[in-house]
């Protein structure tokens, strides 16, 4: 099975991606995570990538496409954060065309409240927010380390990313047409997961 999970920022792609990949035994590839890993190496490339991410801009296609081709298997993947535009979607068609595209629908008002509340555990890669509050404020339920806010979850960067999503990524729904499975992303984590599993089956 080859799956893409698409949705506006804060719609729960990372959280659901992880759950779906576990359930169906797929390799979970998050291009945002791959890029953030590169930035933590402090290399020249990492610094360049950081400047795009912090400003809420997309990283250039040549760079992300190279990274994708290193990590993407030919089969059994769940891709989160890619494609972000038509050029990327066309490349993916050539290398390993997806069977289904899961689209998490969420209103823009909900995006702001979710992202401004979002905090994550860097070690466990668990994201917490209004729908998934940690048991102790600011502390990861699993490893008990302090949670951190993502550097790009500022009001300005969120607004920029919403505009980019609407202009560049939303039109992909028309590109994938009959492969798209629409999911109501405003439900709880468990309900969203249940709806995805039902519709995939
Ligand atoms: P995400 O974790 O998916 O929200 O991605 C965080 C940031 O990484 C985005 O705002 C972009 O700057 C960059 N990024 C992630 N995936 C891509 C992609 N497919 N193309 C270009 N930039 C990307």
């Amino acid at each position: 099975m080859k799956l893409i999970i698409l949705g506006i920022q804060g719609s729960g792609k990372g959280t659901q991606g992880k759950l779906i990949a576990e359930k169906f035994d797929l390799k979970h590839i998050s291009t945002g995570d791959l890029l953030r890993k590169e930035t933590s190496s402090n290399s020249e490339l990492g610094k360049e990538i950081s400047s795009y991410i912090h400003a809420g801009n997309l990283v250039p296609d040549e760079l992300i496409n190279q990274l994708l081709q290193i990590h993407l298997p030919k089969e059994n993947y769940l891709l989160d954060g890619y494609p972000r535009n038509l050029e990327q979607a066309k490349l993916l068609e050539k290398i390993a065309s997806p069977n289904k595209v899961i689209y998490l629908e969420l209103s823009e008002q909900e995006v702001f409240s979710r992202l401004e509340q979002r905090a994550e555990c860097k070690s466990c890669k668990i994201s917490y927010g209004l729908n998934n509050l940690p048991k102790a404020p600011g502390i990861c339920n699993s490893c008990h380390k302090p949670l951190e806010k993502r550097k790009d979850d500022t009001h300005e960067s969120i607004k920029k990313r919403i505009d980019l999503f609407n202009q560049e990524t939303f039109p992909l729904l028309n590109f994938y047409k009959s492969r798209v499975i629409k999911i109501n992303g405003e439900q709880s984590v468990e309900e969203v997961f249940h709806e995805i599993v039902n519709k995939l089956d």
Side-chain angles (χ1 to χ4, degrees), residues 31-32 35-36 53 57-59 64 81-82 84 88 150 152 161:
T31 47
L35 289 167
R36 279 184 288 275
I53 295 185
N57 288 320
L58 289 182
V59 166
I64 192 78
Y82 190 104
R84 289 285 231 271
Q88 296 182 4
R150 260 173 60 165
D152 58 344
R161 285 185 285 147

Side-chain angles (χ1 to χ4, degrees), residues 34-105:
L34 291 177
L35 289 167
R36 279 184 288 275
K37 202 165 165 198
E38 200 66 50
T39 61
S40 57
S41 72
N42 234 357
S43 62
E44 280 310 307
L45 178 66
K47 285 182 198 155
E48 190 193 336
I49 292 173
S50 258
S51 65
Y52 292 109
I53 295 185
H54 292 167
N57 288 320
L58 289 182
V59 166
D61 282 349
E62 308 84 71
L63 208 159
I64 192 78
N65 289 344
Q66 272 181 26
L67 204 61
L68 180 83
Q69 291 185 68
I70 295 171
H71 294 274
L72 187 77
K74 292 269 176 247
E75 276 296 334
N76 299 325
Y77 67 73
L78 180 288
L79 194 46
D80 152 14
Y82 190 104
R84 289 285 231 271
N85 60 31
L86 200 57
E87 286 312 305
Q88 296 182 4
K90 286 181 181 165
L91 175 78
L92 185 62
E93 284 301 286
K94 286 189 204 146
I95 54 179
S97 172
N99 313 112
K100 295 278 176 218
V101 176
I102 300 160
Y103 172 52
L104 303 179
E105 280 187 296

Side-chain angles (χ1 to χ4, degrees), residues 66-189:
Q66 272 181 26
L67 204 61
L68 180 83
Q69 291 185 68
I70 295 171
H71 294 274
L72 187 77
K74 292 269 176 247
E75 276 296 334
N76 299 325
Y77 67 73
L78 180 288
L79 194 46
D80 152 14
Y82 190 104
R84 289 285 231 271
N85 60 31
L86 200 57
E87 286 312 305
Q88 296 182 4
K90 286 181 181 165
L91 175 78
L92 185 62
E93 284 301 286
K94 286 189 204 146
I95 54 179
S97 172
N99 313 112
K100 295 278 176 218
V101 176
I102 300 160
Y103 172 52
L104 303 179
E105 280 187 296
L106 194 72
S107 68
E108 284 186 20
Q109 300 96 290
E110 184 71 14
V111 172
F112 272 103
S113 51
R114 282 194 182 186
L115 292 194
E116 287 179 339
Q117 301 290 331
R118 175 162 80 174
E120 56 187 21
C121 174
K122 289 262 164 15
S123 320
C124 306
K125 302 253 177 288
I126 299 175
S127 185
Y128 294 90
L130 290 176
N131 266 4
N132 178 29
L133 289 170
K135 287 182 189 136
I139 303 290
C140 176
N141 291 348
S142 173
C143 70
H144 310 293
K145 286 188 184 149
L147 302 178
E148 291 178 43
K149 274 204 78 63
R150 260 173 60 165
K151 290 195 183 110
D152 58 344
D153 279 348
T154 60
H155 193 83
E156 209 167 293
S157 165
I158 294 170
K159 197 170 171 330
K160 182 80 165 283
R161 285 185 285 147
I162 291 177
D163 289 345
L164 265 176
F165 176 83
N166 289 331
Q167 286 158 21
E168 306 266 340
T169 313
F170 187 76
L172 296 182
L173 296 179
N174 197 35
F175 177 83
Y176 288 118
K177 284 194 187 101
S178 58
R179 283 181 271 176
V180 175
I181 300 175
K182 277 193 188 173
I183 305 287
N184 171 9
E186 309 224 351
Q187 310 171 89
S188 69
V189 171

